[in-house]
Structure formats: C-alpha cells, structure tokens
Amino acid sequence: MNIFVIVESSGNKIKKGTLEAFGKALELKNKKGGSIFAVLISCENETCGAKLFNYGADEVLYVEWPKGYSAEAFTNIFSSIIEENKPDLILASSTSHIEDFTPRLAARLEAPLIANCTKIDVFDEKLYFSRSVYSGKIFVKLTGSGNIPVIATLRTNIFKPADPDLSKKGKINHIPIYLEPELIQTKIKKIVEGAAGDINITEAKIIVSGGRGLKNGENFSIIKKLADTLGAAVGASRATVDAGWIDHQHQVGQTGKTVTPDLYIACGISGAIQHLAGMSSSKYILAINTDPDASIFKIANYGIIGDLFQVIPLLTEEFKNLLNI
Amino acid sequence: MNIAVCIKQVPDTETIIKILPGDKEIETGEIKYILNPYDEFAVEEALKIKEQFGGDVDVYTLGPERVKEALKTCLAMGADKAFHLYHDSFKGSDSHSSALALSASIKKANYDLIFCGKEAIDDNCGQVGGAIAEMLKIPHISLVTNLELDIDNKTGTVIREIENGYEHIEFSFPALITCQKGLNNPRLPSLKGIMKARKKEIIIVTPDSLGLPADSVGEKAAKTKILNYFAPPQRPIGKFFNEDIKDSVKNIVKLLREEAKVI
C-alpha cells in the first residue's frame, strides 16, 4: 500500500498533526508493506525536508511554491503529483487548510474523501474508516467506493504521533511545478495571528472551559489563570460566545469545535446536549458546578459540586504546588 | 448581483440521535428538522448583498419531501426562488454525488456568488461547498467570517478563520464562499415574509431535467459507503465531591495525577 502523507510545516517545525499522520502511515505500512511518500509544498528552503525521513518517509517529494497557500494551487499541485505516483491512500491532519482544499482535490480526482477520521483499520485488502457525525453524538464506519486514492483527514489528538528515528536518511526529490497564473483567483493578503501563547483547542491536551456560571466576561481571567498553570487551552460554551465574552474560536460544541483532549475541565457549564456533542469524546472530564443535577455530571469522570469562584483559584494553587511552579 | 445559496435541512440540535437495530439507520420518527445553522449565515449574507446591490437570491437543496420546509424558511427570509432537487435517484447521495447534482443545477443560471454553510451539522463533512466550486471551475474560500465586495471590479475581500488566527483573502467573481459563525446575525422570517413566500416558486429538479444519467446521481455516484453506525463508548461512573472545598480540590488533583495520569 503506497501512502502519501501531506506535510504541513511552519518554518523548521513539522506540525503536530502531520506527525500523527506519519504515525498512522507507519502502522499501516507495517501491516501491509509499501512505501510512505511525504509531500511538502513550501517556499521555505525545505528546512524540515530531511526530518521527514526520521518520521517514516521513504521518499520526500518537495515542491517549491513561493506563492503561499491557495485551494486552487494546492489542488492543482497535488492532483498532478497524485496522477504521477498513484498512491492508494492519502493521509493529512484535519486542519483548516487541509479541509479547505481536499474537497476540491477529491472532486478533481473523483476520489473518496473521508474527513476528520477517528479510526483507520485495514482488513483483508480493504481500508475502514470511522468518524463522528451529528457533531459527535454518534459514530459511523465507512469505506471508499473502490476508487483509489482514498483521501483521509485525521482528527487531531487521536492518533499517536510517530517517534523520530534519527538513523533514517534519504534524498529529497524536487518536483518542478508551473501553474498558469489565471488558475489562481484567490490571494492571501494578510495573516493575523491570535494572542501569543494562545493554544488551539483542537490540538490541546488539556482544555479549561468556561460557561454561563462565570457570570461575566472578565471572569474568563480565572479560567485563563488555571489554563496557563496547566499549559492548557481555553474553551467556552456557546452562551459565553454569544454574550461576547470570548471569541468564537474558543467555542466547543455543535456550532463550535469538536475536541478530544486528555482532560476537559468544564467550569460553570451545565452540559447542554449541543455542548456535550463537542466534548464528550474527551478522555477525562472534570466538571465544576453548583448544581448537582447539571447534565455535565452525567458524563464527567470527576466532579466538584461547588462554587467555581472558590474552587478554581484553589485548583490553580494546588496544581501550582504539584507542578512546582 | 445574482446569488445562489445551497442549503440543507438537518435534525434540530436538541435531537438525541438513536441508532435503529441493524445499525444501518437512524431513527427519524420523532426528529424535528431545521435549516442547517451554518446555512442561515449563508442565506443572510446573500440577502444583505441583495438589499445593498439588487439582484436575485435563489436557494438550492437536495433531499426528500420534507426539505421543502427549509426552502420555505429561506423564501420567507427573503430569497426569490427555490430549487428542490427531488427524485428517487438522488437517494443515498454522499458529499460527492450531492455536489454533482447541485453544481449541475446551479450551472444552468449565471451567478456572481454562491454561498454555502461551512458544514452540515448532521454529517459534519464540510465538503460539498469546495466540491461544487471545483465542479463549476470557480474559486472558493471556506470558513468566512467577514465579506466585503467591490462590485465594479467584481472582486471581494474575506476574512477566513484558521487555527489561532485569520487570513485576509482577495478573490474575484464568480466565487463560492462557505460561511462560518460570526459572519452575520441571521434574520428571522417576518410575518410579511412568510405571507410573501406562499407566492414564490419552488422548482422541482430531477436528474432528467439536468441531463444526468441515473448512474451519475445518488447512491450510484457516491464515493463513500456507510457500513454501520455505532454509539460512543460508555463513560465510566464519575467520582463526585461536595464536602469541604479544600478537601475536594486536594482529592481531585490527586485523582488526576495518580488515577487519570493526565497531569
């Protein structure tokens, strides 16, 4: 089975989601044989190219593309590389750029695209994919229709990242590309980054999340203090986002993001079905709420029935002691 | 400005989803259906542009008889015409075959912009928008939270959401936009709008009327196959503390460290 891994990098650093994709690719290669091709489109002097062999690439296909990301450019570049190399499976992390252009790519190739997978198995000669639907309320098992390649994007924080093997080396293949300018009708003019140190909730191992129990927007500072102590991301319920207390990027739930951290700390969140849909796959859930009947307690592993304004500062202090901060 | 909006009717967010015995279908008897929340942003944005620049807003959807209600909601909000892709052959469509049929239908008219929601809250695939754009050979931008148009130059600028930040992107018409929460505040249909909607056309579209052979629509043209549904794993019974707060906190931290091993 020949597998493409779509590499996303930032300067010298390979993104965590890409390492998760390599982990899965290596596992499938160990079962079925074949080769892993890492495909990197970048304008940054292939600084992470050599590292890709450490993470399991048998071949690295490097496309020097100075014009930055656009769905049209990436669709054109990938479709030509795929037609040339004919992989069976294409793996990528489910990030905003990947989810942006893979639908175009799948339509171009008439290939199955299975997004945000939580599981990939191979049995006999067939690949089986699982993903959540109804915003996390239930799961579905699927296959591709028989066309190759199958494109699968992987939900972050589910698949184990590949461990680097520093003994592995290889030669990077430079793939020349030329695209007619009129093929690209969108252009990124500016990128605005979020607050420094803000951790993306879909990648975070720990999330501290605030709900209506916070009573006002300023009180998110209590959540932030606990999050900073734990190196965690800040999450939010829909009510707090709608009230303007925090940006929508932090919203967890049916009209926000679905998250799978190791630990989700729900503070002053009652646990409406729409919120649960977004976080019920968390490995461990700690809930803090004054209402012992709050729905969140139905799915929590641990709970404190108490006032978050007392509990959270004490928790923060206790964690600081534990972690020697 | 002539604008097309693709919408989908989905189960209400309150719905508890139950899997029927056999694991191949969802129980639908008690479900209340709504217009997909992300599609509300799409319809609203189209209507705002129509109010500012004139033109028509047409809505398109693919689905069984009941999806007419979602179309009527859009017409009541202010859309001009509705197209209901409705035929037995469309059954079992996945993202790919839905996009094939919708793009074939949309292609028949000339639109400056096409709006979709960023994803449907039933299947969460988020693929149909990008696929339609590819099939129509027009650019697209997804996860848009802000849109400004320069009608004279037929260009626009959007802000789109990425991990921990935003991109500002310029594009030219025609283009397809998928809408993210924060783009606008969707209007509720007014009583006047609901009355006016009764006189607006819902056009039924079949594979024949699109010149599409039977094997290029619905299940026959799907690229993915659902094998079965399954419930998430049962969560263990929780350990709760409601006594002295200081003790409760100490116990929880100990459990997180020693039992859960997440700290």
Side-chain angles (χ1 to χ4, degrees), chain B residues 62 64 75 83 142 164 225 227 250:
Chain B
L62 184 150
L75 293 172
F83 293 85
S142 57
N164 272 4
K225 190 176 150 84
L227 297 173
K250 279 197 157 57

Side-chain angles (χ1 to χ4, degrees), chain A residues 69 71-72 75 95-97 100 103-104 106-108 110-115 128 130-145 147 185-194 198-200 203 206 230 238 241-242 247-249 251 254-257 262-263 273-274 280-286 297 299-307 310-311 314-315 318-319 322-323, chain B residues 11-19 26 37-38 96 118-135 137-143 145 157 160-173 180-182 222-233 235-243 245-246 248-250 252-253 255-257 259-263:
Chain A
Y69 174 78
E72 301 118 300
T75 300
T95 62
S96 61
H97 280 172
D100 184 45
R104 286 197 88 108
R108 172 82 58 100
E110 296 193 13
L113 167 57
I114 302 174
Y128 296 88
S130 296
R131 58 188 300 276
S132 73
V133 287
Y134 298 97
S135 308
K137 291 175 186 176
I138 58 170
F139 288 79
V140 68
K141 194 166 170 188
L142 318 124
T143 57
S145 54
N147 300 58
Q185 298 280 327
T186 63
K187 194 177 158 77
I188 298 177
K189 301 298 282 181
K190 190 165 78 164
I191 300 176
V192 175
E193 272 163 35
D198 251 10
I199 302 171
N200 175 20
E203 288 178 10
I206 305 176
L230 294 171
R238 181 187 172 160
V241 170
D242 286 353
D247 185 84
H248 172 254
Q249 296 248 29
Q251 184 177 329
Q254 199 149 8
T255 55
K257 297 191 168 97
D262 289 342
L263 174 63
I273 191 173
Q274 297 91 337
S280 58
S281 289
S282 305
K283 206 156 160 219
Y284 288 95
I285 299 169
L286 162 62
F297 287 125
I299 63 160
N301 299 81
Y302 308 112
I304 299 181
I305 299 157
D307 179 355
Q310 292 186 294
V311 173
L314 283 171
L315 259 181
E318 193 68 22
F319 282 129
L322 184 69
L323 299 167
Chain B
D12 177 287
T13 58
E14 286 289 321
T15 311
I16 299 174
I17 302 293
K18 295 196 193 115
I19 304 170
I26 306 294
Y38 291 106
H96 185 85
K118 75 148 179 149
E119 71 184 47
I121 61 166
D122 55 2
D123 61 28
N124 305 119
C125 288
Q127 293 163 206
V128 169
I132 292 176
E134 174 62 26
M135 291 167 185
K137 302 263 168 273
I138 61 175
H140 86 282
I141 309 122
S142 57
L143 292 166
T145 56
T157 316
R160 77 177 283 251
E161 198 180 83
I162 55 170
E163 282 77 19
N164 272 4
Y166 297 90
E167 287 168 349
H168 293 234
I169 300 174
E170 240 174 39
F171 67 95
S172 36
F173 308 171
Q180 169 61 301
K181 181 170 174 168
K223 295 295 175 191
T224 56
K225 190 176 150 84
I226 290 177
L227 297 173
N228 61 274
Y229 290 100
F230 58 97
R235 294 196 69 95
I237 311 246
K239 294 185 175 156
F240 303 113
F241 299 88
N242 64 352
E243 303 298 328
I245 296 240
K246 284 210 170 85
S248 301
V249 165
K250 279 197 157 57
I252 289 285
V253 170
L255 285 166
L256 287 173
R257 166 73 105 168
E259 186 177 89
K261 302 198 206 298
V262 287
I263 307 285

Side-chain angles (χ1 to χ4, degrees), chain A residues 53-84:
Chain A
F53 296 104
N54 300 145
Y55 287 105
D58 297 297
E59 289 202 40
V60 171
L61 306 178
Y62 173 71
V63 178
E64 182 155 351
W65 176 251
K67 295 194 181 158
Y69 174 78
S70 75
E72 301 118 300
F74 276 46
T75 300
N76 281 297
I77 295 170
F78 273 101
S79 75
S80 97
I81 296 180
I82 287 163
E83 269 155 13
E84 184 73 29

Side-chain angles (χ1 to χ4, degrees), chain A residues 159-201:
Chain A
F159 297 90
K160 194 167 163 294
D163 285 319
D165 179 347
L166 298 172
S167 70
K168 295 265 159 88
K169 294 187 204 307
K171 187 172 158 295
I172 296 169
N173 288 321
H174 290 253
I175 314 282
I177 211 91
Y178 175 71
L179 295 179
E180 305 284 344
E182 47 285 5
L183 281 176
I184 301 168
Q185 298 280 327
T186 63
K187 194 177 158 77
I188 298 177
K189 301 298 282 181
K190 190 165 78 164
I191 300 176
V192 175
E193 272 163 35
D198 251 10
I199 302 171
N200 175 20
I201 58 173

